[in-house]
Amino acid sequence: MVTPIDRDGRLAARSVVTLMGWSAGQTMDLTTEPGPIVVARTGRTVRINRRGFLRLPLAVRRTCRIAPGDRVLVVANQRHGELLVVPMAVLDDMVDAYRRSHDIGDER
Protein backbone atom coordinates (compact mmCIF):
# COMPACT_ATOMS: atom_id res chain seq x y z
CA MET A 1 0.00 0.00 0.00
CA VAL A 2 1.24 3.49 -0.80
CA THR A 3 0.32 6.14 1.76
CA PRO A 4 1.43 9.68 2.58
CA ILE A 5 3.15 10.77 5.79
CA ASP A 6 1.52 13.75 7.49
CA ARG A 7 3.37 16.67 9.14
CA ASP A 8 3.44 14.81 12.47
CA GLY A 9 4.94 11.67 10.93
CA ARG A 10 1.77 9.58 10.96
CA LEU A 11 1.18 7.00 8.25
CA ALA A 12 -2.16 8.09 6.76
CA ALA A 13 -3.32 4.49 6.23
CA ARG A 14 -4.40 2.63 9.36
CA SER A 15 -5.60 -0.48 7.53
CA VAL A 16 -2.12 -2.04 7.51
CA VAL A 17 -1.85 -1.59 11.29
CA THR A 18 -5.24 -3.30 11.64
CA LEU A 19 -4.20 -6.07 9.22
CA MET A 20 -1.21 -6.80 11.47
CA GLY A 21 -3.55 -7.15 14.45
CA TRP A 22 -2.00 -4.15 16.18
CA SER A 23 -4.11 -1.74 18.19
CA ALA A 24 -4.01 1.63 19.91
CA GLY A 25 -1.52 1.77 22.75
CA GLN A 26 0.61 -1.12 21.51
CA THR A 27 4.34 -0.43 21.61
CA MET A 28 6.65 -1.05 18.68
CA ASP A 29 10.35 -0.93 17.88
CA LEU A 30 11.52 0.92 14.79
CA THR A 31 14.77 -0.22 13.25
CA THR A 32 16.23 1.94 10.50
CA GLU A 33 18.17 -0.17 8.03
CA PRO A 34 19.82 0.82 4.78
CA GLY A 35 16.68 1.10 2.70
CA PRO A 36 13.38 0.34 4.49
CA ILE A 37 12.34 1.10 8.02
CA VAL A 38 11.40 -2.14 9.77
CA VAL A 39 8.59 -1.77 12.28
CA ALA A 40 8.53 -4.76 14.61
CA ARG A 41 5.70 -5.77 16.95
CA THR A 42 7.76 -6.06 20.11
CA GLY A 43 9.53 -3.19 21.78
CA ARG A 44 9.16 0.13 23.45
CA THR A 45 10.33 2.76 20.97
CA VAL A 46 6.97 4.10 19.73
CA ARG A 47 3.33 3.55 20.54
CA ILE A 48 0.39 3.32 18.17
CA ASN A 49 -1.70 6.36 19.07
CA ARG A 50 -5.22 6.22 20.50
CA ARG A 51 -6.73 6.65 17.02
CA GLY A 52 -4.74 3.70 15.62
CA PHE A 53 -2.09 5.61 13.67
CA LEU A 54 1.56 4.62 13.60
CA ARG A 55 3.84 7.66 13.85
CA LEU A 56 7.43 7.77 12.63
CA PRO A 57 9.51 9.94 14.99
CA LEU A 58 11.30 12.98 13.54
CA ALA A 59 14.74 11.39 13.93
CA VAL A 60 13.63 8.40 11.82
CA ARG A 61 12.07 10.65 9.19
CA ARG A 62 15.25 12.72 8.97
CA THR A 63 17.47 9.64 8.69
CA CYS A 64 15.29 8.30 5.88
CA ARG A 65 14.75 11.73 4.30
CA ILE A 66 10.97 11.52 4.60
CA ALA A 67 9.23 14.91 4.49
CA PRO A 68 5.60 15.76 5.26
CA GLY A 69 3.44 14.77 2.31
CA ASP A 70 5.93 12.22 0.99
CA ARG A 71 4.46 8.90 0.00
CA VAL A 72 5.89 5.63 1.28
CA LEU A 73 5.30 2.01 0.36
CA VAL A 74 4.07 0.06 3.39
CA VAL A 75 4.44 -3.72 3.16
CA ALA A 76 3.03 -6.07 5.80
CA ASN A 77 5.11 -9.15 6.56
CA GLN A 78 2.72 -11.08 8.80
CA ARG A 79 4.98 -14.12 9.00
CA HIS A 80 7.66 -12.04 10.74
CA GLY A 81 5.22 -9.65 12.46
CA GLU A 82 6.65 -6.53 10.88
CA LEU A 83 5.91 -3.69 8.52
CA LEU A 84 8.39 -2.40 6.00
CA VAL A 85 8.05 1.31 5.33
CA VAL A 86 9.94 2.15 2.15
CA PRO A 87 10.44 5.77 1.02
CA MET A 88 9.80 6.29 -2.70
CA ALA A 89 13.46 7.32 -3.29
CA VAL A 90 14.58 3.95 -1.89
CA LEU A 91 12.04 2.15 -4.08
CA ASP A 92 13.37 4.03 -7.13
CA ASP A 93 16.91 2.91 -6.24
CA MET A 94 15.72 -0.69 -5.84
CA VAL A 95 14.06 -0.65 -9.26
CA ASP A 96 17.16 0.92 -10.86
CA ALA A 97 19.39 -1.75 -9.29
CA TYR A 98 17.08 -4.50 -10.53
CA ARG A 99 17.07 -3.07 -14.05
CA ARG A 100 20.89 -2.82 -14.07
CA SER A 101 21.31 -6.38 -12.77
CA HIS A 102 19.06 -7.71 -15.53
CA ASP A 103 20.43 -5.48 -18.30
CA ILE A 104 17.06 -3.85 -18.79
CA GLY A 105 17.65 -0.57 -20.58
CA ASP A 106 15.49 2.48 -20.64
CA GLU A 107 13.22 1.56 -23.55
CA ARG A 108 11.14 4.67 -23.80
Side-chain angles (χ1 to χ4, degrees), residues 5-105:
I5 301 287
D6 74 9
R7 65 182 173 86
D8 295 319
R10 290 180 298 236
L11 298 174
R14 292 183 290 188
S15 58
V16 179
V17 171
T18 303
L19 173 71
M20 294 301 294
W22 299 340
S23 58
Q26 188 164 356
T27 55
M28 319 297 275
D29 267 344
L30 299 182
T31 305
T32 305
E33 298 181 352
I37 302 165
V38 178
V39 182
R41 177 189 303 247
T42 58
R44 299 181 185 164
T45 308
V46 297
R47 186 178 303 273
I48 296 174
N49 76 12
R50 61 185 167 83
R51 293 180 50 211
F53 289 102
L54 180 61
R55 182 182 163 275
L56 302 180
L58 183 59
V60 170
R61 288 179 276 147
R62 283 184 176 162
T63 298
C64 297
R65 299 180 183 163
I66 298 171
D70 283 358
R71 293 184 175 277
V72 294
L73 174 67
V74 182
V75 180
N77 183 340
Q78 290 180 302
R79 181 177 300 155
H80 291 106
E82 64 188 13
L83 290 180
L84 300 178
V85 180
V86 184
M88 288 294 122
V90 172
L91 189 59
D92 289 343
D93 292 345
M94 291 167 67
V95 170
D96 288 345
Y98 172 82
R99 293 175 73 77
R100 280 191 307 275
S101 72
H102 290 82
D103 284 332
I104 301 172

